[in-house]
Amino acid sequence: MILKNKRLEVMKTVEKSVDDYVKNYLIPVEEIWQPTDLLPNLQSDNYMEELTQMREEAKELPYDFWVVLVGDMVTEEALPTYESWLMDMEGVDQHGRDGWSKWIRQWTGEENRHGDTLNKYLYLCGRVNMREIEITTHHLINDGFDIGTGRDPYKNFVYTSFQELATNISHKRVGQLARKKNNKMLAKMCKLISGDEMRHHLAYREFVKTILEYDPSEMILAFEDMMKKKIVMPAQFLRESGEGLASAFENFSNAAQRLGVYTTFDYIDIMEKLNSYWEIDKLNSLTDEAERARDYLMKLPDRMRRIANRIAVPQDQTQFKWVENNGIV
């Protein structure tokens, strides 16, 4: 009970600055880009020319690329799960509409545009089986997820700090691959989405940095706990029609690694970045347990890197229903 009360006290203290976080890290609705800004304008007279060009450019992209893009899109489309999870954190009062619920709603509003954009692109490009993708999305929302945080805000903020940077990397690299194939429309979409993810990452890592000022030992222990469990991706239960829970995620992840979109080494790099930004090596007045946790966190990246160097990424492509029978090689 004392531990819970301490967290709630810290959450209320940090909450006083939420309006500043909204101002610094989110963009007003009337000013930010919207999906239709990036897609063919179906109200224009030359919309067929734009669609034709879009579909021709899409033909240049390889099989693994489509697997990764679909997986990224489905992950973004499962946003209802993520909002409901964050709204359930200790210290968040969605009924009283406190500062934290304000942040989560406005963060959700920005994130929601990502799935809308990629969904419309995939539908219009004609290179994927949209019905199969829609079934996967439906399953992912039905199945929910368990990221190992419980209702603990400290653990949730570690997760979001990590995950937002991971999605920034993934979307950015997908955009770079699209640009190399002269697909400027998709490249621009992914660049803008990755920019949003970076802003969100910067906000969440700031939440943790602030909490470290008030409750360093418990924050470090929460960080250690999440690293021991490993940061699982939001789409951990990804599956296709007729398949069991989590049947598709590993194959999707392997495709991302083959493309170099998101790899084990990126995961390790994110850990090092968070260790450095939060300056955990410089924290004072830690409990003995937290000191041991800090030692673990400081040594973990090198240990994981040694393991990663010995693991080979599977090179065999998996046939996904999302992109079958479209002549994609």
Side-chain angles (χ1 to χ4, degrees):
M1 181 63 68
I2 294 175
L3 183 63
K4 179 178 176 181
N5 288 341
K6 175 69 172 180
R7 274 169 165 66
L8 291 176
E9 179 184 333
V10 171
M11 283 289 282
K12 288 185 179 299
T13 299
V14 180
E15 181 189 8
K16 296 175 183 177
S17 300
V18 162
D19 284 341
D20 290 333
Y21 290 127
V22 169
K23 179 180 178 181
N24 293 333
Y25 297 108
L26 301 179
I27 299 175
V29 175
E30 304 297 336
E31 298 175 18
I32 201 168
W33 62 270
Q34 296 296 337
T36 49
D37 297 333
L38 310 174
L39 292 155
N41 181 3
L42 301 189
Q43 291 183 308
S44 70
D45 293 335
N46 66 335
Y47 76 92
M48 281 302 299
E49 295 176 18
E50 294 179 21
L51 279 176
T52 299
Q53 180 179 349
M54 174 184 179
R55 292 166 70 90
E56 286 299 315
E57 290 176 349
K59 292 179 181 179
E60 300 300 317
L61 298 164
Y63 184 86
D64 274 348
F65 180 94
W66 291 107
V67 171
V68 171
L69 186 61
V70 169
D72 284 351
M73 185 278 282
V74 172
T75 302
E76 297 285 358
E77 288 282 70
L79 198 63
T81 300
Y82 317 145
E83 181 182 21
S84 62
W85 188 279
L86 289 172
M87 279 292 193
D88 192 48
M89 283 192 304
E90 295 285 356
V92 176
D93 180 5
Q94 60 177 313
H95 302 288
R97 300 176 72 85
D98 67 359
W100 284 120
S101 65
K102 175 182 178 179
W103 167 268
I104 293 168
R105 287 194 305 273
Q106 295 196 31
W107 168 83
T108 298
E110 289 200 357
E111 287 282 338
N112 188 66
R113 294 151 40 259
H114 302 166
D116 284 350
T117 306
L118 297 176
N119 189 313
K120 290 172 183 174
Y121 175 84
L122 287 169
Y123 176 74
L124 293 173
C125 78
R127 303 298 290 168
V128 296
N129 186 326
M130 282 304 298
R131 192 173 196 282
E132 286 292 341
I133 294 170
E134 289 160 357
I135 290 172
T136 291
T137 303
H138 197 159
H139 273 309
L140 190 57
I141 294 173
N142 283 0
D143 295 333
F145 69 1
D146 182 0
I147 54 176
T149 61
R151 300 184 66 201
D152 187 337
Y154 291 12
K155 294 178 183 180
N156 270 287
F157 290 155
V158 169
Y159 181 86
T160 47
S161 296
F162 195 107
Q163 182 57 30
E164 293 285 9
L165 186 52
T167 51
N168 161 265
I169 292 168
S170 179
H171 286 301
K172 179 174 62 179
R173 289 186 182 153
V174 167
Q176 290 169 345
L177 290 172
R179 184 165 293 281
K180 287 180 180 178
K181 294 292 185 178
N182 296 315
N183 192 320
K184 296 179 181 179
M185 177 185 293
L186 182 56
K188 184 176 181 180
M189 289 177 186
C190 293
K191 181 179 180 180
L192 288 171
I193 291 171
S194 70
D196 285 354
E197 303 288 9
M198 177 55 79
R199 282 188 291 103
H200 301 162
H201 159 70
L202 295 176
Y204 284 113
R205 75 171 188 174
E206 203 62 36
F207 296 165
V208 173
K209 192 173 183 67
T210 303
I211 291 170
L212 283 167
E213 297 175 9
Y214 294 100
D215 197 7
S217 290
E218 289 303 317
M219 188 67 250
I220 283 293
L221 290 171
F223 187 16
E224 178 200 34
D225 183 71
M226 293 307 297
M227 292 300 101
K228 283 185 173 180
K229 292 174 180 174
K230 296 186 180 179
I231 300 292
V232 295
M233 298 299 106
Q236 60 175 313
F237 294 151
L238 198 69
R239 58 166 152 158
E240 295 186 282
S241 62
E243 301 295 334
L245 198 67
S247 58
F249 180 77
E250 183 177 354
N251 292 325
F252 156 67
S253 179
N254 287 338
Q257 294 217 63
R258 284 194 296 271
L259 282 178
V261 165
Y262 184 74
T263 71
T264 302
F265 294 100
D266 292 314
Y267 184 102
I268 297 166
D269 186 54
I270 292 173
M271 279 195 292
E272 289 184 320
K273 282 182 166 63
L274 293 178
N275 281 350
S276 175
Y277 185 76
W278 292 332
E279 298 182 304
I280 67 171
D281 58 323
K282 299 177 182 177
L283 293 174
N284 298 314
S285 303
L286 295 178
T287 64
D288 291 344
E289 186 181 12
E291 285 283 7
R292 291 191 293 272
R294 171 165 56 188
D295 289 343
Y296 170 83
L297 291 166
M298 294 298 295
K299 295 174 182 177
L300 184 58
D302 285 341
R303 187 198 313 173
M304 288 197 68
R305 190 172 286 109
R306 288 193 297 271
I307 296 171
N309 282 324
R310 299 196 296 267
I311 299 175
V313 178
Q315 295 303 305
D316 294 336
Q317 290 181 332
T318 301
Q319 183 68 52
F320 282 85
K321 296 175 183 178
W322 306 330
V323 289
E324 68 179 356
N325 300 323
N326 280 293
I328 301 172
V329 295

